[in-house]
C-alpha cells in the first residue's frame, strides 16, 4: 500500500500480488480543469450528467487519478488509456496483450480515493470511513454471510468491525466482476472459495486525510496463465441489492 503519486508502480507490481494506491480527491479548480483533459468523451459526458457538484468533482479527479496510475504502470499517456465498463459496471482495460495485462479496481469514501492494481488476476478493493451507523446490526444481518455473524467467531462485534467485514465482502464482489448484484450469492456462500481476501491494515493515507479512520480490504481472484485476459466480466446474477450505506438510510 502506497500513497500515490509517489513510487513508480511498474517495479512495485513486479514484487507484489496487489498494489494498493491511495490519493486525495481534494483538488483546486485549476487541477479540476487539468484533470478533465485526460478523460474520454464518455467520461466527460458522465461527469456532466452528475447533478451534485461535489460528486461530479470527485468523479473527475478520481478518474484522472486512475488514468494516471494505469499510465504509470503501463508506460502510456493517461489520455490514451482505454478504460471500458463491464456488464455490472466494473471498469477494465481494453487490452489483452501479455505485456499490458493489468487488472484494477477502484473505491472511494468521502475524499479518499483507493485503487488496487494487479498483474496476477482480477482484483477488488473497498474502503469505508469508520463512522457510527445506528442501524448497523440490522444492515449486517441483511448483507453479511452467516459465518461472519456467528457469535463464536465474533468477527462482527461493533460498527467498525461490521464496516471491515463489509469491505471484505465488497472487495470479493468487485473481484468477481458482479459488484453489489452478487450480494445475494455471497450471502449463500456461492462465491469462488479460492479467492484470496485480506484486510489492508496499514492503509497509507495522503497527508491531508491523515487524521481520518478508515478500513479497507482487497480480494484477488488469480486466473490460470492461459486465461488471464482483460475481458469484461459477464457473470449474470440476481437483481441488485442495496449497499449498507443506502440500506441504513431511513
Amino acid at each position: 500500500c502506497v500513497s500515490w503519486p509517489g513510487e513508480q508502480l511498474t517495479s512495485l507490481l513486479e514484487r507484489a500480488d496487489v498494489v494498493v494506491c491511495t490519493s486525495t480527491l481534494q483538488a483546486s479548480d485549476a487541477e479540476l480543469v487539468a484533470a478533465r483533459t485526460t478523460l474520454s468523451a464518455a467520461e466527460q459526458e458522465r461527469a456532466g450528467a452528475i447533478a451534485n457538484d461535489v460528486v461530479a468533482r470527485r468523479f473527475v479527479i478520481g478518474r484522472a487519478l486512475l488514468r494516471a496510475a494505469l499510465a504509470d504502470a503501463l508506460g502510456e499517456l493517461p489520455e490514451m488509456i482505454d478504460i471500458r465498463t463491464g456488464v455490472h459496471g466494473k471498469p477494465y482495460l481494453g487490452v489483452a496483450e501479455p505485456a499490458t495485462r493489468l487488472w484494477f479496481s477502484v473505491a472511494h469514501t468521502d475524499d479518499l480515493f483507493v485503487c488496487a492494481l494487479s498483474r496476477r488476476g482480477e482484483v477488488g478493493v473497498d474502503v469505508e470511513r469508520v463512522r457510527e451507523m445506528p442501524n448497523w446490526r440490522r444492515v449486517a444481518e441483511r448483507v453479511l454471510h452467516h459465518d461472519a455473524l456467528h457469535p463464536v467467531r465474533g468477527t462482527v462485534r461493533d460498527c467498525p468491525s461490521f464496516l471491515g467485514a463489509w469491505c471484505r465482502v465488497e472487495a470479493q464482489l468487485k473481484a468477481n466482476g458482479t459488484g453489489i448484484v452478487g450480494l445475494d450469492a455471497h450471502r449463500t456462500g456461492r462465491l469462488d472459495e479460492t479467492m484470496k481476501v485480506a484486510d489492508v491494515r496499514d492503509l497509507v493515507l495522503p497527508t491531508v486525510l491523515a487524521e481520518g479512520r478508515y478500513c479497507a480490504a482487497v480480494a484477488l481472484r488469480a486466473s490460470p496463465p492461459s486465461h488471464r485476459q482483460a475481458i469484461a466480466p459477464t457473470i449474470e446474477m440476481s437483481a441488485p441489492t442495496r449497499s449498507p450505506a443506502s440500506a441504513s438510510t431511513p
Side-chain angles (χ1 to χ4, degrees):
C1 182
V2 296
S3 180
W4 194 87
E7 300 184 55
Q8 214 282 328
L9 296 179
T10 301
S11 59
L12 293 177
L13 286 165
E14 292 175 353
R15 307 196 305 266
D17 288 336
V18 179
V19 176
V20 176
C21 305
T22 65
S23 301
T24 177
L25 293 172
Q26 297 177 11
S28 65
D29 290 343
E31 290 170 329
L32 181 67
V33 171
R36 283 185 181 275
T37 65
T38 67
L39 271 58
S40 68
E43 290 167 339
Q44 294 190 37
E45 182 179 356
R46 178 178 170 184
I50 300 174
N52 186 302
D53 288 342
V54 173
V55 176
R57 289 177 68 97
R58 287 173 174 167
F59 172 78
V60 171
I61 297 300
R63 189 49 62 100
L65 286 168
L66 171 62
R67 284 183 166 276
L70 293 173
D72 186 8
L74 296 172
E76 299 280 354
L77 294 174
E79 57 269 25
M80 299 302 294
I81 301 297
D82 183 13
I83 299 178
R84 304 182 186 183
T85 303
V87 173
H88 298 297
K90 182 177 181 179
Y92 70 100
L93 283 175
V95 294
E97 292 79 7
T100 56
R101 286 174 186 163
L102 183 69
W103 289 263
F104 65 94
S105 178
V106 295
H108 70 85
T109 179
D110 296 337
D111 284 328
L112 178 61
F113 170 86
V114 178
C115 173
L117 306 171
S118 178
R119 293 196 182 278
R120 304 288 190 262
E122 287 287 359
V123 65
V125 67
D126 192 50
V127 63
E128 292 284 347
R129 178 176 58 84
V130 176
R131 63 196 186 278
E132 286 302 319
M133 293 173 55
N135 300 322
W136 74 266
R137 292 181 186 276
R138 176 175 61 83
V139 178
E141 291 174 354
R142 293 177 56 185
V143 302
L144 296 183
H145 187 273
H146 63 82
D147 283 351
L149 295 169
H150 199 285
V152 175
R153 288 176 174 260
T155 54
V156 177
R157 303 173 302 278
D158 49 29
C159 189
S161 63
F162 160 66
L163 291 172
W166 171 250
C167 284
R168 293 189 289 275
V169 170
E170 181 73 0
Q172 292 176 70
L173 296 177
K174 288 183 177 181
N176 211 38
T178 63
I180 201 67
V181 174
L183 182 58
D184 289 339
H186 181 276
R187 292 191 74 248
T188 57
R190 285 186 281 139
L191 275 187
D192 184 357
E193 294 181 358
T194 65
M195 189 179 298
K196 298 179 180 179
V197 186
D199 293 323
V200 185
R201 298 190 182 280
D202 298 319
L203 192 65
V204 182
L205 296 173
T207 303
V208 294
L209 302 177
E211 299 301 319
R213 287 186 62 205
Y214 302 89
C215 53
V218 292
L220 177 66
R221 192 183 69 179
S223 306
S226 60
H227 294 90
R228 287 182 179 173
Q229 297 181 8
I231 59 174
T234 57
I235 300 173
E236 295 292 344
M237 305 189 80
S238 58
T241 304
R242 291 186 298 171
S243 67
S246 60
S248 62
T249 303

